[in-house]
Amino acid sequence: MEFRCGFIFFVLICSSVAFQSDELLVDDDEFEGTQQIQYIDAAHTRSTPPPSRPTSTRRRFSDPDSDSKVQFQLEHSFGDSDFAPTGLFTARLKTSSHGGQSLTKLRFSRNAFTEEDRKKFTTLLQEDGFYSVRLATNVLKSTGESYVYSSVKARCLPRVELDEHFVIHMDGVNILAVNYGTPGACPFPRQLKLPSKWSFNSLTFLKSGEQAPRTPVLADDILVGETGEGEGVKPPEKSFWAKYWMYLIPLGLIVMNAITQAMNMAEEQVSGQAAGQAQPQQSAAAIQRGPGSSAVRRR
Amino acid sequence: MVLAIKVSFLLLFTLFASFANYGFSIYEDQVGLMDWRQQYLGKVKHALFHSSKSGRKRVVVSTEENVIASLDLRHGEIFWRHVFGPNDSIDGMEFVLGKYVVSLSSEGSFLRAWNLPDGQMVWESFLQGTNPSKSLLLVPRSLKANQETVILVFSKSCLHAVSSLDGEVIWKIDLRENSVEIQKIIQLHDSDIIYAVGFSSPTQLDLFQINVKSGELLRHQTATFSGGFSGELVSVSDDVLVTLDTARSNLVIINLKNGEIRILQSPIASLIDEIAGSMEIVPSKLSGLLAVKVNSLLTLVRVKGEGEVEVEVVDKIPGQATVSDALLVSESQHAAALAQHEGSYMHLTVKLIDDWSSNFIDENIVIDNQRGSVQKVFLNSYIRTDRSHGFRALLVMEDHSLLLVQQGEIVWSREDGLASIVNVVTCELPVEKKGVSIAKVENNLIEWLQGHLLKLKGTLMIASPEDVVAIQNMRLKTSDKSKMSRDHNGFRKLLIVLTKSGKLFALHSGDGRVIWSRLLQPFHKSEACAPRWLNIYQWQDPHHRAMDENPSVLVVGRCGQRMDGPGLLSFVDTYTGREISSSSQIHSVVKVIPLPFTDSTEQRLHILIDAENHAHLYPQTSEAISILQSEFSNIYWYSVEADSGIIKGHALKRKCVDVVDNYCFESNDVWLIMLPPESEKIIATATRNLNEVVHTQAKVVADQDVMYKYISKNLLFLATVAPKSSGEIGTTTPEDSWLVVYLIDIVNGRVLHRMTHHGSTGPVHAVFSENWVVYHYFNLKAHRYEMSVVEIYDQSRADNIDVWKLIIGKHNLTSPISSYSRRDILAKSQSYFFTHSVKAISVTSTTKGITSKQLLIGTINDQILALDKRYLDPRRSINPSQAEREEGVIPLTDSLPIIPQTYATHALQVEGLRGIVTIPAKLESTTLAFAYGVDLFFTRITPSRTYDSLTEDFSYALLLITIVALVIAIIATWVLSERKELQDKWK
């Protein structure tokens, strides 16, 4: 009982220890090249209250001081409806030494749903429809004739708030793809759930592809490579016992066997001619020997 | 004891490791036991008979699969055969000097001479020209015998004279001036002058006169014809050419007598009764006659260009008919063969051209209906025993098969349609009926014992050479691999094969024989629609419910080349070859998606996507609809527009509104990925095989750690290259070329992985299996081919290894997996050099997915290399730790080893290899592999050796004898020991 109580206590401690905050640590500085995936920039945004005048056109900073800043618009659609602007991405355009351009320091301001949007979204939730977002492919060109878009089942978004997650795949200044979804799980069948707060909790990432690892060039090992079975490093020198234990053990067994046999012989001679007695004695000896060695052959 | 077990395990492991490299290698005497190869040619384009001289009679053919071959005229066997590359199509073929056959290929670039008896290449010359043009081959008749003949080749706007002895170009004239398109090269009456005829504008005819000996351009004449020229230019006789005018209402007859051009015309209306109708000239060489097709009625017209136009209808042949070229029978007598269909007969007549009413031969030949109509006839004559003329004809049928007909019988036939396979599905054979014993009992016990004694001798290596032969024969005979019933190990299957001609073949996997064949009906004899065969799918595969039904396949085709052409469907029973039903002229078919659901009769649900992105459900039953409704929101598919670099995802939306069709559904676009067209061009995609089985999701790595494979059937591998370097290798510098690979989830369009290989380029061949993809490409910097592997692991499940979490129940192992849940992934990658370029790549697949995998690589020399997947492991390092070594991680090398013993094709070649299909057998250790190209090859592959069964040549006799000997020994020793004990007691 004591042990069990202790166990439960331990488990409780463990569970409290195992709790990990799911809060995302927002870092204002760019953290490039972390982990395997190259996140150029990540941001965590909460939606702003709906603006009194919704921005209808793509705006751009025109003053010459901040010409390296770009803005591009996020547009959304409910099911089949047309796309309408709903947020603004801001990023800094970085020109690298060899002429390539890339975006860093992505910021995102998300407009919360208007009353009309809420209605549309609620119907979308009821019919388990798609909520889509889109971005123009080139962030520099204002003429957005080509778009990339992504959709998610609307029922995946609502938790306490509307949780969303953007990954924008970039190649230079071209947006290849936008991946939109929920940061958490969304298993099928999806339950109908309305958010308690109609505000967005957005996570945004900029991501560019990674470089393939270079093919190793091992000029010395080519011959080894042909056979496929490389020698590698030599294993460290083993002790005498480690090397020859497989020979030593049978040897030991045989020696033990021989000794017991010799002892038996002696006993038999002592017991003399009594045939009636010899039998049980012998079997007893066999039992005695039994666990010691299985290799002993019965005479 | 424990130690002993450990020792034996270690021994076993080392044994395994030493054998692992040779996982597939077989012994010499095992060749042909479980593999077979069949050699084919393809649809015959040209045929030349070589039967005038004594010796072996042969026919030399060239085919649409770019094969040139010499066949035995008596049996149809291949004497020799050469397969040219896929872009090296054969334009013409002629005999020269009576001992060589020359072939012109690659749009007139290559002229090669082959030695007739053995097919050795005698010489090859590369002809350079200026502009692409028609390519023509002419061997002029020389005036004197034994004179060195020249070969005239018109290619790339240049006329070349090539010596037939060594292939040297003797002279060359550029005929590009005045932009004349040369149509014909003719030699007039055995003279030294060659005429090249062509059009420089729709109304102008150009004639060049060239001296054969010197290559001098003697004269250039032009003539204009106000009616204009259109269509093929056909030579009716030596100096008369015929074509049509632009209105297609007049025959235009061009007379070149004495080197002067005279153009005459004759209205078609005079030839045919009805005026309306299309007219076409059938390209043929009938000296004196012209074959035209009027309203698909073959009409033979005699054209005499002398003086006034004389055009007279000789014959009108109803129905499907084909005429051969003229054959010189005797002095100035030409004959031609005419093949036409009359019911189930093929009517073959050979007539004299000058006297069309008389028949040389008139035969009715019974031809299998499934061969379709006659496409081409090649006529050959011989002298009968009574000194009269006999004829044999080589027929090319609609299903691309080749028949030799003589004396009213089919002497031999070749199923050459099998050289152009589109796709393969497999099907189980019927279960053996009860009451019939499966095991065929050996004739008697003595024979059985003798056989096993022989085998025993073989194993003990004391067999004489005769015994070895006897053993080999016995093995081939007794192996029941060609039986027509299901076997316990699942080695026997039916391979249902769809060929380009629209014919289905069922091949037995045991020996490759044809069980049945069927030329599909909706495509057959349809005027409006030129069918194109797309693919074949498993339609019904009864195994649990509906056992009485025969399995069936679905064949999907399309009319014409356009994507929105009407679709064609055909359902075929795979046991009998009967067409259960077919529908033609339905909606267009762009994509076919087999769904993972079956109805109560085990029919698989399929969705056919049409050009308007509507989805059509098959089978069209209410049950299918109800099954679909329950999974309606879970069906997604993708489309790739390679030209614009767009990948789109689609999902089902609702029933079609504008069409009254219960089985039609509208779709909406869910996601879109756009690759910038200026920097990326899609060249290859790969997806996982839908019925692949993965045994375990977890992978235990060396340090007792677990990695979870990211396993999803909805993954797409995509490879793009720089548009500049999408041409051939070597056209760009490494700086200008890159290869980008993507892994995309096709449900929500998530880009899981994107990786750039700088300085690399295509062609890319990829294979996707479990959680890894292997692809092959060219590295321009290293000037070598490379193979890369990408393995993806699910990081969000990685912390499940925490035991405490498992106890408390905080793990997410049982949580359902959804593409909408965001899972963190880890991609590992590694590249290796690989010596060969690759034609096809595939991976072995087994029933349960336990057996380790091998990559099957179709190499450039048309062999299949089985390469262990362990060589393509991203975790390979230069010095793997002891734990990793035990796990089987091979030390890192920069190139992949090519071990000659691992060629699955051993000494054979699968010429023109195009695809490799792997089929799991019921026995877990075994994969069946079928490779197709011009040849077919089938074998069994055991990537980890046959650990779950005894080999076929296992000596049961030896086992029995050993057991018997042991039992006897036990009894004998027991008796002896009893006796001794008794004696001891009496002492």
Side-chain angles (χ1 to χ4, degrees):
Chain A
M1 276 310 283
E2 267 176 18
F3 168 72
R4 191 173 286 175
C5 285
F7 180 72
I8 289 168
F9 185 59
F10 186 54
V11 164
L12 279 172
I13 288 175
C14 272
S15 64
S16 63
V17 167
F19 171 77
Q20 284 176 347
S21 169
D22 58 351
E23 186 186 338
L24 187 107
L25 298 168
V26 185
D27 196 341
D28 273 345
D29 291 317
E30 48 189 271
F31 45 104
E32 278 185 55
T34 49
Q35 296 170 347
Q36 286 279 322
I37 309 158
Q38 230 183 358
Y39 289 118
I40 286 187
D41 205 344
H44 186 204
T45 336
R46 279 174 191 278
S47 55
T48 51
S52 51
R53 278 174 296 158
T55 48
S56 56
T57 51
R58 297 164 57 79
R59 286 184 299 148
R60 198 164 298 276
F61 280 70
S62 52
D63 50 329
D65 295 345
S66 53
D67 57 351
S68 64
K69 253 192 179 176
V70 285
Q71 287 192 331
F72 49 99
Q73 203 141 36
L74 177 80
E75 296 176 312
H76 69 167
S77 119
F78 304 90
D80 291 337
S81 74
D82 286 339
F83 282 94
T86 184
L88 201 63
F89 284 100
T90 317
R92 191 175 289 277
L93 189 66
K94 197 172 81 177
T95 308
S96 64
S97 54
H98 51 271
Q101 288 179 311
S102 60
L103 294 186
T104 53
K105 290 196 178 174
L106 186 73
R107 298 284 174 277
F108 179 48
S109 68
R110 180 74 145 109
N111 305 343
F113 278 155
T114 59
E115 202 55 47
E116 196 187 344
D117 288 346
R118 275 184 212 179
K119 261 185 219 155
K120 282 184 187 164
F121 195 78
T122 317
T123 45
L124 213 56
L125 285 177
Q126 272 150 7
E127 63 194 21
D128 194 18
F130 285 107
Y131 175 69
S132 315
V133 294
R134 77 169 184 187
L135 291 169
T137 48
N138 195 321
V139 293
L140 296 182
K141 280 189 207 154
S142 52
T143 56
E145 74 278 350
S146 58
Y147 292 93
V148 291
Y149 49 86
S150 180
S151 311
V152 71
K153 285 277 182 188
R155 288 189 185 178
C156 289
L157 292 179
R159 292 211 162 55
V160 180
E161 292 175 292
L162 292 162
D163 288 0
E164 58 181 4
H165 184 281
F166 291 88
V167 179
I168 300 170
H169 291 267
M170 304 287 301
D171 179 43
V173 290
N174 282 311
I175 295 179
L176 301 176
V178 56
N179 294 157
Y180 181 66
T182 169
C186 182
F188 184 80
R190 293 172 280 268
Q191 303 300 322
L192 173 60
K193 193 175 84 181
L194 285 171
S196 45
K197 264 162 79 185
W198 284 94
S199 61
F200 277 101
N201 184 13
S202 315
L203 281 167
T204 52
F205 293 97
L206 266 185
K207 200 167 167 185
S208 64
E210 49 184 278
Q211 297 291 319
R214 286 182 57 146
T215 313
V217 179
L218 314 164
D220 305 338
D221 286 1
I222 282 174
L223 276 176
V224 179
E226 292 298 307
T227 58
E229 292 279 310
E231 268 301 307
V233 280
K234 282 197 169 173
E237 195 63 33
K238 286 176 184 170
S239 68
F240 178 77
W241 176 248
K243 261 184 182 167
Y244 301 112
W245 60 270
M246 61 281 268
Y247 308 110
L248 289 177
I249 287 174
L251 197 77
L253 290 175
I254 291 165
V255 169
M256 273 168 67
N257 194 11
I259 292 166
T260 38
Q261 262 184 354
M263 279 165 68
N264 272 357
M265 292 288 272
E267 269 177 48
E268 251 172 63
Q269 276 167 6
V270 169
S271 58
Q273 303 290 322
Q277 267 183 324
Q279 205 63 27
Q281 210 167 9
Q282 211 169 14
S283 60
I287 290 161
Q288 212 175 2
R289 270 180 265 135
S293 70
S294 54
V296 181
R297 199 182 301 157
R298 194 179 158 190
R299 272 191 308 138
Chain B
M1 274 307 281
V2 177
L3 283 173
I5 287 170
K6 226 175 184 179
V7 171
S8 61
F9 256 97
L10 263 174
L11 274 173
L12 260 179
F13 179 76
T14 43
L15 259 177
F16 231 84
S18 60
F19 277 130
N21 282 341
Y22 313 100
F24 180 68
S25 52
I26 57 171
Y27 295 103
E28 191 185 349
D29 61 344
Q30 288 175 319
V31 167
L33 274 185
M34 49 194 190
D35 61 293
W36 48 262
R37 179 182 62 156
Q38 292 174 347
Q39 294 183 309
Y40 293 104
L41 306 171
K43 187 184 183 184
V44 170
K45 280 202 280 197
H46 316 278
L48 297 172
F49 292 91
H50 190 255
S51 57
S52 52
K53 298 262 171 64
S54 60
R56 290 199 288 188
K57 308 244 182 290
R58 63 184 75 218
V59 55
V60 181
V61 294
S62 70
T63 72
E64 289 183 353
E65 297 294 325
N66 309 342
V67 178
I68 182 165
S70 167
L71 301 176
D72 186 342
L73 209 47
R74 294 265 152 77
H75 310 287
E77 285 155 8
I78 298 171
F79 279 137
W80 51 262
R81 183 180 64 153
H82 295 285
V83 182
F84 296 0
N87 302 321
D88 200 3
S89 70
I90 301 169
D91 304 312
M93 196 172 66
E94 286 291 343
F95 284 135
V96 288
L97 299 174
K99 56 181 179 181
Y100 300 155
V101 56
V102 288
S103 67
L104 183 69
S105 60
S106 275
E107 290 161 344
S109 296
F110 288 102
L111 190 68
R112 299 183 179 106
W114 312 91
N115 192 14
L116 263 177
D118 54 3
Q120 300 270 1
M121 190 196 278
V122 185
W123 48 259
E124 177 188 57
S125 51
F126 178 68
L127 305 175
Q128 277 171 325
T130 44
N131 275 8
S133 74
K134 212 170 172 173
S135 53
L136 303 163
L137 177 69
L138 178 77
V139 178
R141 288 154 292 181
S142 55
L143 293 169
K144 293 169 209 153
N146 303 327
Q147 199 185 350
E148 181 199 331
T149 43
V150 290
I151 302 160
L152 292 175
V153 177
F154 178 75
S155 70
K156 295 178 180 168
S157 306
C158 290
L159 186 66
H160 309 258
V162 182
S163 160
S164 57
L165 285 176
D166 51 6
E168 286 291 316
V169 176
I170 300 168
W171 51 260
K172 176 178 156 185
I173 306 177
D174 195 344
L175 294 179
R176 191 177 32 147
E177 51 184 302
N178 308 330
S179 65
V180 184
E181 286 177 29
I182 300 291
Q183 298 287 323
K184 270 268 179 284
I185 297 175
I186 37 181
Q187 183 192 21
L188 283 194
H189 308 297
D190 300 350
S191 67
D192 270 355
I193 294 167
I194 289 294
Y195 291 73
V197 189
F199 304 118
S200 53
S201 74
T203 56
Q204 188 175 327
L205 182 85
D206 287 57
L207 178 72
F208 297 92
Q209 287 186 25
I210 298 145
N211 189 325
V212 178
K213 296 241 167 94
S214 60
E216 193 184 343
L217 182 62
L218 300 173
R219 210 167 153 202
H220 178 199
Q221 289 165 278
T222 55
T224 48
F225 174 67
S226 53
F229 304 102
S230 76
E232 190 104 14
L233 191 67
V234 172
S235 65
V236 171
S237 60
D238 268 354
D239 46 10
V240 179
L241 297 169
V242 176
T243 187
L244 289 172
D245 67 353
T246 24
R248 287 183 174 260
S249 56
N250 284 301
L251 278 180
V252 181
I253 298 153
I254 302 152
N255 195 326
L256 303 175
K257 196 150 197 184
N258 306 324
E260 301 297 327
I261 309 172
R262 280 177 62 222
I263 298 177
L264 307 164
Q265 59 175 321
S266 152
I268 295 169
S270 67
L271 303 176
I272 46 174
D273 306 332
E274 65 263 63
I275 298 145
S278 65
M279 180 154 167
E280 240 183 296
I281 294 184
V282 180
S284 57
K285 283 180 214 152
L286 290 162
S287 42
L289 287 184
L290 172 73
V292 288
K293 227 168 199 169
V294 185
N295 294 339
S296 70
L297 188 79
L298 188 72
T299 310
L300 294 174
V301 182
R302 188 180 305 282
V303 179
K304 281 187 184 150
E306 325 257 333
E308 287 307 301
V309 191
E310 230 178 282
V311 178
E312 126 190 56
V313 174
V314 176
D315 201 356
K316 281 187 184 176
I317 300 122
Q320 293 261 345
T322 318
V323 67
S324 75
D325 286 352
L327 178 81
L328 189 70
V329 183
S330 59
E331 290 279 317
S332 72
Q333 269 198 322
H334 288 83
L338 186 72
Q340 61 189 110
H341 276 268
E342 277 170 20
S344 60
Y345 289 100
M346 209 272 302
H347 191 69
L348 183 77
T349 46
V350 178
K351 298 182 184 217
L352 268 186
I353 288 194
D354 293 333
D355 181 13
W356 193 255
S357 51
S358 71
N359 287 345
F360 258 120
I361 54 166
D362 187 355
E363 291 162 348
N364 277 330
I365 300 151
V366 185
I367 284 186
D368 184 8
N369 250 339
Q370 300 305 330
R371 293 197 189 277
S373 57
V374 179
Q375 302 271 299
K376 272 191 181 131
V377 185
F378 300 97
L379 188 66
N380 177 233
S381 69
Y382 62 93
I383 308 291
R384 289 211 191 109
T385 43
D386 60 351
R387 304 258 161 212
S388 62
H389 286 291
F391 292 94
R392 55 171 86 91
L394 197 65
L395 307 179
V396 182
M397 308 299 291
E398 199 179 350
D399 68 340
H400 301 181
S401 63
L402 191 64
L403 310 178
L404 187 84
V405 172
Q406 188 177 330
Q407 295 157 21
E409 275 178 63
I410 298 171
V411 183
W412 51 261
S413 64
R414 294 181 56 88
E415 293 286 0
D416 278 314
L418 285 170
S420 46
I421 287 177
V422 176
N423 210 346
V424 189
V425 295
T426 53
C427 139
E428 295 285 343
L429 282 157
V431 185
E432 195 130 10
K433 294 275 187 305
K434 271 177 193 161
V436 184
S437 102
I438 294 171
K440 205 187 90 199
V441 182
E442 313 284 325
N443 290 345
N444 56 49
L445 192 70
I446 297 164
E447 265 184 33
W448 181 83
L449 264 180
Q450 274 175 344
H452 277 286
L453 268 177
L454 265 180
K455 272 191 193 172
L456 185 64
K457 267 186 169 176
T459 16
L460 298 177
M461 310 229 185
I462 50 168
S464 61
E466 297 92 70
D467 288 347
V468 172
V469 174
I471 293 168
Q472 191 72 4
N473 283 339
M474 201 171 55
R475 274 178 176 171
L476 287 174
K477 224 189 318 171
T478 54
S479 61
D480 48 8
K481 61 178 187 177
S482 55
K483 272 167 93 177
M484 277 303 297
S485 61
R486 215 173 281 191
D487 65 329
H488 183 67
N489 290 334
F491 291 160
R492 293 201 292 265
K493 304 245 187 219
L494 271 185
L495 303 165
I496 314 292
V497 160
L498 174 69
T499 64
K500 227 186 257 172
S501 59
K503 197 175 188 184
L504 278 180
F505 288 92
L507 305 179
H508 194 289
S509 69
D511 50 6
R513 69 179 190 277
V514 176
I515 307 290
W516 53 259
S517 60
R518 167 160 292 271
L519 196 64
L520 293 164
Q521 281 306 318
F523 322 104
H524 180 46
K525 289 170 197 161
S526 62
E527 291 291 324
C529 151
R532 205 178 129 236
W533 285 101
L534 294 179
N535 214 338
I536 179 168
Y537 299 90
Q538 202 103 42
W539 176 253
Q540 195 179 14
D541 185 18
H543 50 280
H544 292 310
R545 302 165 275 177
M547 276 299 274
D548 303 331
E549 307 255 349
N550 285 358
S552 53
V553 289
L554 162 69
V555 188
V556 181
R558 183 195 297 149
C559 285
Q561 300 291 323
R562 290 167 47 131
M563 287 297 267
D564 54 354
L568 308 159
L569 302 180
S570 178
F571 302 89
V572 180
D573 185 325
T574 56
Y575 286 173
T576 61
R578 193 172 54 86
E579 194 164 26
I580 301 163
S581 66
S582 68
S583 46
S584 54
Q585 309 291 316
I586 53 163
H587 53 83
S588 56
V589 179
V590 175
K591 196 179 173 80
V592 180
I593 307 167
L595 297 178
F597 318 116
T598 54
D599 68 3
S600 58
T601 55
E602 300 261 347
Q603 288 186 341
R604 185 159 296 278
L605 269 61
H606 284 71
I607 282 181
L608 274 62
I609 311 296
D610 69 9
E612 283 98 50
N613 254 330
H614 286 182
H616 301 266
L617 177 70
Y618 287 86
Q620 302 202 323
T621 56
S622 53
E623 189 193 353
I625 289 262
S626 65
I627 295 170
L628 183 74
Q629 286 296 354
S630 62
E631 298 287 342
F632 195 78
S633 59
N634 288 337
I635 291 165
Y636 299 86
W637 68 94
Y638 71 96
S639 58
V640 176
E641 291 164 29
D643 300 331
S644 50
I646 289 175
I647 310 114
K648 263 189 204 174
H650 311 274
L652 287 180
K653 195 159 87 180
R654 55 164 181 253
K655 276 204 171 136
C656 285
V657 183
D658 44 344
V659 198
V660 187
D661 183 358
N662 271 336
Y663 307 100
C664 168
F665 297 93
E666 280 178 17
S667 67
N668 53 351
D669 298 353
V670 180
W671 53 264
L672 182 142
I673 294 173
M674 193 161 151
L675 309 176
E678 67 274 9
S679 66
E680 291 185 35
K681 184 174 186 293
I682 298 171
I683 56 161
T685 59
T687 51
R688 274 184 65 192
N689 188 358
L690 281 178
N691 41 26
E692 187 190 44
V693 182
V694 180
H695 175 243
T696 172
Q697 293 213 5
K699 181 173 182 174
V700 181
V701 292
D703 43 354
Q704 305 300 315
D705 211 344
V706 180
M707 290 173 87
Y708 288 90
K709 298 174 186 169
Y710 185 93
I711 289 168
S712 165
K713 297 225 163 174
N714 306 318
L715 287 184
L716 169 72
F717 168 81
L718 191 81
T720 66
V721 291
K724 264 193 206 167
S725 67
S726 60
E728 290 209 0
I729 293 166
T731 48
T732 47
T733 55
E735 287 72 37
D736 283 343
S737 47
W738 52 84
L739 174 83
V740 191
V741 295
Y742 292 84
L743 283 174
I744 298 167
D745 189 312
I746 59 165
V747 171
N748 58 359
R750 182 179 170 198
V751 180
L752 296 169
H753 188 59
R754 177 173 187 263
M755 190 166 76
T756 313
H757 294 266
H758 283 288
S760 296
T761 183
V764 171
H765 295 272
V767 61
F768 203 146
S769 171
E770 292 196 0
N771 67 326
W772 51 263
V773 56
V774 168
Y775 50 99
H776 177 271
Y777 55 92
F778 190 77
N779 186 335
L780 286 165
K781 274 184 193 151
H783 310 290
R784 292 167 90 172
Y785 283 100
E786 272 187 2
M787 277 174 97
S788 283
V789 58
V790 179
E791 288 189 2
I792 43 173
Y793 293 96
D794 191 347
Q795 283 293 90
S796 56
R797 294 154 67 107
D799 45 357
N800 285 333
I801 47 171
D802 193 337
V803 182
W804 286 111
K805 281 197 174 177
L806 281 176
I807 292 168
I808 304 158
K810 273 206 143 197
H811 64 91
N812 55 359
L813 280 179
T814 50
S815 64
I817 290 168
S818 163
S819 281
Y820 286 117
S821 313
R822 182 153 212 101
R823 291 193 279 164
D824 291 332
I825 62 145
L826 171 70
K828 289 189 166 205
S829 171
Q830 180 81 268
S831 304
Y832 303 94
F833 293 123
F834 187 69
T835 314
H836 289 300
S837 68
V838 160
K839 284 190 166 178
I841 184 164
S842 178
V843 67
T844 58
S845 59
T846 52
T847 345
K848 300 277 191 298
I850 300 169
T851 310
S852 64
K853 302 237 171 206
Q854 275 185 341
L855 293 166
L856 301 180
I857 299 165
T859 59
I860 191 68
N861 45 3
D862 294 314
Q863 292 199 298
I864 300 170
L865 180 75
L867 181 72
D868 208 308
K869 167 67 179 59
R870 289 189 302 144
Y871 287 108
L872 279 153
D873 187 339
R875 295 194 303 124
R876 281 174 72 182
S877 57
I878 293 172
N879 287 320
S881 66
Q882 195 59 38
E884 278 177 334
R885 266 168 199 265
E886 270 172 33
E887 187 206 330
V889 173
I890 302 165
L892 182 69
T893 51
D894 55 355
S895 57
L896 296 169
I898 291 169
I899 304 157
Q901 290 96 321
T902 57
Y903 276 109
T905 43
H906 42 87
L908 302 175
Q909 277 185 309
V910 191
E911 293 278 10
L913 183 68
R914 282 200 313 271
I916 305 165
V917 178
T918 58
I919 311 124
K922 255 185 223 159
L923 203 64
E924 169 55 30
S925 64
T926 311
T927 301
L928 310 176
F930 179 64
Y932 57 88
V934 174
D935 291 353
L936 310 182
F937 179 78
F938 180 91
T939 192
R940 276 181 228 159
I941 293 176
T942 48
S944 312
R945 299 176 68 83
T946 47
Y947 55 82
D948 51 1
S949 73
L950 296 169
T951 51
E952 265 175 19
D953 54 340
F954 180 80
S955 177
Y956 290 95
L958 184 63
L959 184 70
L960 264 182
I961 292 167
T962 319
I963 291 171
V964 169
L966 274 175
V967 168
I968 292 169
I970 288 167
I971 293 170
T973 46
W974 179 71
V975 169
L976 282 177
S977 76
E978 284 288 300
R979 205 174 285 168
K980 187 153 186 272
E981 222 163 86
L982 193 65
Q983 275 174 0
D984 282 350
K985 284 177 185 166
W986 279 108
K987 260 181 196 168

